[in-house]
Amino acid sequence: MSKKRPAAVALAAALCLVTTACAGSSTGPGGASGDEASAVAAKSGYPVTLKNCGVSEKFTEAPDRVVVMNGASVAEVSTLLALGLGDRIVANQQTYGMSEVAGRAAAIKALPTGDVTLNDAYDIPREAMIGLRPDLVLSTTSYGFDEKNGFATREQLEQVGAHSYVSPQGCDQDTSKMTIADSYQLLRDMGRIFGVGEKAEKLIAASEKSIAAVSAKMKGEKRPEVMVLFSNMAMGGNDFSSVVAKGIYNDILAEAGGSNVFASASETSFADLSKEKVAATDVDALVVIGYNDPDPAAYAEKLLKEFPQWPAAKNKTYVALSDSMYLGPSNDLAVTKIAEMLHPDRF
């Protein structure tokens, strides 16, 4: 089952962005100066200051040359698109190849890539990054700003006038404690940075309302044991090295009325399991996440045939998802789809 594409390196690393030179300058948003700049800033809600992984980022205007690093994520690019900020992106390296949101995969595919030569982790090396002349660089974890990996550091980006941002729970590259609340934090932060906070809050409120409605239907229901894994993805030495143990996936499962059967298999986000371990576990349902896999449902069907003893196989209980199951603005869709699979009688 191991499709060892180079992007698997990035997934394993990303899942197991400095105040700009304009601060203190005599000019402000739109090239205004003195009192005029102050008036413009006040009216627009700027300046905006965020503390991000120990770095203070002060924005005097909305960025308009954004670079989105790969990080084996679509959280950042999807959040920008959900906020109507796609026109600010000059280079995007994120894609899952599919989405639970109609039109999103096509919208991501249509974004500029910057025409840069990527490194072995399918991401943007230092020289190429500087050449893109960004004013904001987004990375899922601090991995994307690590000099040892050949990336531009946050300090180097600051020197060329670029802000940087690391998404929630990404500071120490450990996403095992990530929850749906982190998706909302990412929306809020981007809302503040780009001056569209009201739109961000509307998206968050709609998601919270949807999830609460689904969760209410699950009260009193038995929680099936669910296996969550990425399709055709190898990240370790065993047959099943992309099995989810902890992270936002478990929060989504809980809201949908389910439980992660392999939650205790690892202290990190992913477990690296043998075929024997998987075979000996009663799996009631399967959630397969497609990461640039054209047919994750086919992978799910294959697993159900491989382990006919599973309750999931006997009842053919599975769902194939993509971006809604990860950090991003659409976790409510994953909650709904999983709940409908686990508790169809409640819908």
Side-chain angles (χ1 to χ4, degrees), residues 231-232 288 293-305 318 320:
S231 62
N232 288 307
V288 171
D293 184 344
D295 197 353
Y299 178 73
E301 295 273 5
K302 176 182 169 231
L303 281 185
L304 296 180
K305 288 180 182 177
Y318 77 88

Side-chain angles (χ1 to χ4, degrees), residues 59 84 123 139 202 232:
F59 296 83
D123 225 328
S139 179
K202 285 182 178 178
N232 288 307

Side-chain angles (χ1 to χ4, degrees), residues 260-308:
N260 187 344
V261 70
F262 291 113
S264 62
S266 174
E267 290 304 313
T268 60
S269 296
F270 291 92
D272 188 4
L273 305 176
S274 67
K275 182 176 180 179
E276 291 73 23
K277 170 70 173 175
V278 171
T281 304
D282 285 334
V283 175
D284 296 323
L286 199 60
V287 175
V288 171
I289 307 170
Y291 173 69
N292 288 320
D293 184 344
D295 197 353
Y299 178 73
E301 295 273 5
K302 176 182 169 231
L303 281 185
L304 296 180
K305 288 180 182 177
E306 189 174 358
F307 302 102

